[in-house]
Amino acid sequence: MRSTSKSGASGQDGEEENSRIPGAPIVWHKVPEDQRPQLWAEFTAWVIRMADTYEMTTEQLPHACWWEHGAVVAELTAMWTGWESAYGSEEDAAAGPYLWHDAWSRCLERIGRTWLGECTNGYHQQKSRTIFGTDPAYRKRILEAGPPGSSGAQPKAA
């Protein structure tokens, strides 16, 4: 378990607050660059330990490239922080682990559907898809249309 250091806002006591509370949510792109390698190493060790503990197959987790699938990383990150929360506190020792295992079971099903088994052969296979966030005109067109039922949204003629 990681320890947290507390310091004044000015940091004059010589310590920096650079640890998170175990179980706190992680949004990888928001983790400060200097903290990301250590946190990623802890997360990776946890994923490998869970994969071995739960005898995961390559149909459940793409061995060669799970870290290259954003949705898989997001699912596993949520499970990691949930695991830290469930096993890091004695206050709810009975329900926490049970609920974590229930969520883990559902997570394994979602992971398999997320990457659709494209990488079971041991090689990373990019999905053939259109990336939504790379076309500014696409976003503009959606924003101009407005939400359903607004005056900006015009139904297409049949």
Side-chain angles (χ1 to χ4, degrees), residues 134-145:
T134 58
D135 183 2
Y138 173 74
R139 179 180 173 86
K140 182 179 180 213
R141 189 168 69 241
I142 295 169
L143 293 174
E144 287 173 350

Side-chain angles (χ1 to χ4, degrees), residues 122-143:
Y123 299 98
H124 179 62
Q125 179 68 37
Q126 289 285 4
K127 288 184 179 182
S128 175
R129 68 180 199 87
T130 300
I131 298 175
F132 284 71
T134 58
D135 183 2
Y138 173 74
R139 179 180 173 86
K140 182 179 180 213
R141 189 168 69 241
I142 295 169
L143 293 174

Side-chain angles (χ1 to χ4, degrees), residues 7-15:
S7 65
S10 67
Q12 293 178 355
D13 59 0
E15 292 183 350

Side-chain angles (χ1 to χ4, degrees), residues 68-137:
E68 294 187 56
H69 297 274
V72 173
V73 170
E75 287 277 0
L76 291 171
T77 300
M79 292 310 304
W80 179 42
T81 58
W83 184 87
E84 288 181 321
S85 180
Y87 287 94
S89 171
E90 294 178 12
E91 292 177 21
D92 192 18
Y98 171 79
L99 293 172
W100 182 87
H101 278 90
D102 185 54
W104 178 250
S105 172
R106 289 179 280 130
C107 171
L108 293 180
E109 291 176 21
R110 281 192 305 269
I111 287 174
R113 287 192 311 266
T114 298
W115 61 277
L116 302 174
E118 295 179 16
C119 300
T120 57
N121 62 2
Y123 299 98
H124 179 62
Q125 179 68 37
Q126 289 285 4
K127 288 184 179 182
S128 175
R129 68 180 199 87
T130 300
I131 298 175
F132 284 71
T134 58
D135 183 2

